[in-house]
Amino acid sequence: MTDLAVTKADGVALLTLNRPERRNAYTSTMGDELGRAYRRCDDDDEIRAIVLTGAGEAFCVGADFAASANPFEKDSDGAGFTASPINPAAFELRTPVIAAVNGHAIGIGLTMALQADIRIMATDARYAVAQVRRGVIGDCMSHWTLPHLVGGTVAADLLLTGRTFDGAEAATMGIATRAVPASDVLDQAMAVARDIAVNVAPMSAALSKRLLWDTMAKGYQPRDVARLETELHERVMGTPDAREGVTAFLERRAPRWTLSVSREWASLPDIRSD
């Protein structure tokens, strides 16, 4: 049994953290497998959306302290360690990623979910960026994702205290896109993913996602974003998918998208403030 199970159907890849006997406690193998799965899905035109969830009742309760090696013990030469072990991160992909946080997500369990585009979270589960309570600090670029998602005040509260909160508070803070009963989390996440897979033009989703995350990362100003939006509109206007989107809407049917992200992708231009 691998630490990550992968299934694909109807344009959606379901990636399942697969150590239910350890409540999906994180291992380096799990991180490596997740990064490889992200890359494969992002290069596959048949995959229009990705859902990340956990097997059993937990999403991921953090690093596996029962492993043979202490995850917080420094190597003698310091080689091989990274605080961002999932490469690429979910926000670095072109494909939309929905985290179906079906149960407790602690430490890296939560910080990896923060890298997703959309988070459906269990109302009654426990969440925490608890690393400061273990003598280390938040990982998976959480010092960037959290303030960008919820602002500096909330990020400071969670990163500096490591306190625990539930799904209802996660939704109030803006960490959860929505909080629902644990039994409904995966179904709702899959419904979002299938809607994207059918109704959203893949190139449009890829460009919009990259524009969203890249402009946050690069600190672009509003007029920089206006120029990028204009250039990207010009890239897709008049394409078969732009025509198909309008035709399908007028004919009240599901669209038939034909543009290939893997073959026709061109990265976003780098527009700087004047």
Side-chain angles (χ1 to χ4, degrees), residues 4-235:
L4 183 77
V6 179
T7 59
K8 302 176 183 179
D10 302 322
V12 177
L14 177 62
L15 312 183
T16 305
L17 307 177
N18 195 34
R19 304 185 71 222
E21 75 287 354
R22 297 288 303 152
R23 296 192 296 172
N24 302 316
Y26 177 86
T27 66
S28 59
T29 299
M30 178 185 290
D32 291 343
E33 291 180 1
L34 182 55
R36 287 195 295 270
Y38 276 161
R39 284 191 292 272
R40 288 195 299 268
C41 291
D42 206 42
D43 290 334
D44 186 347
D45 282 332
E46 297 300 315
I47 301 303
R48 305 288 179 81
I50 299 167
V51 173
L52 175 65
T53 195
E57 297 182 353
F59 180 76
C60 172
V61 295
D64 191 351
F65 295 117
S68 57
N70 184 339
F72 299 153
E73 190 66 37
K74 187 176 181 179
D75 293 339
S76 58
D77 58 2
F81 174 77
T82 173
S84 295
I86 301 167
N87 185 24
F91 62 74
E92 294 176 312
L93 307 180
R94 299 165 299 194
T95 309
V97 179
I98 300 101
V101 188
N102 55 302
H104 303 324
I106 307 296
I108 196 170
L110 180 58
T111 58
M112 77 168 84
L114 292 174
Q115 297 182 338
D117 304 298
I118 297 169
R119 280 163 297 283
I120 313 298
M121 301 177 69
T123 305
D124 295 331
R126 292 185 294 110
Y127 308 106
V129 187
Q131 286 88 329
V132 290
R133 296 185 179 227
R134 311 291 182 261
V136 289
I137 65 172
D139 46 30
C140 288
M141 296 176 266
S142 54
H143 291 80
W144 180 78
T145 55
L146 261 176
H148 278 86
L149 292 171
V150 300
T153 300
V154 173
D157 175 21
L158 301 182
L159 290 167
L160 302 184
T161 70
R163 69 176 180 85
T164 300
F165 53 95
D166 63 13
E169 187 177 3
T172 299
M173 290 187 291
I175 290 175
T177 306
R178 70 187 71 127
V180 300
S183 59
D184 295 338
V185 167
L186 184 56
D187 286 345
Q188 291 211 17
M190 291 297 290
V192 172
R194 291 182 182 120
D195 179 49
I196 291 172
V198 172
N199 294 307
V200 176
M203 185 66 76
S204 297
L207 290 172
S208 186
K209 172 172 176 169
R210 292 274 33 91
L211 181 62
L212 171 67
W213 286 98
D214 288 1
T215 53
M216 287 196 301
K218 296 175 181 178
Y220 286 142
Q221 297 302 308
R223 283 295 165 185
D224 297 322
V225 178
R227 282 180 282 169
L228 281 165
E229 288 178 341
T230 298
E231 180 164 338
L232 297 180
H233 267 94
E234 291 172 345
R235 189 181 295 181

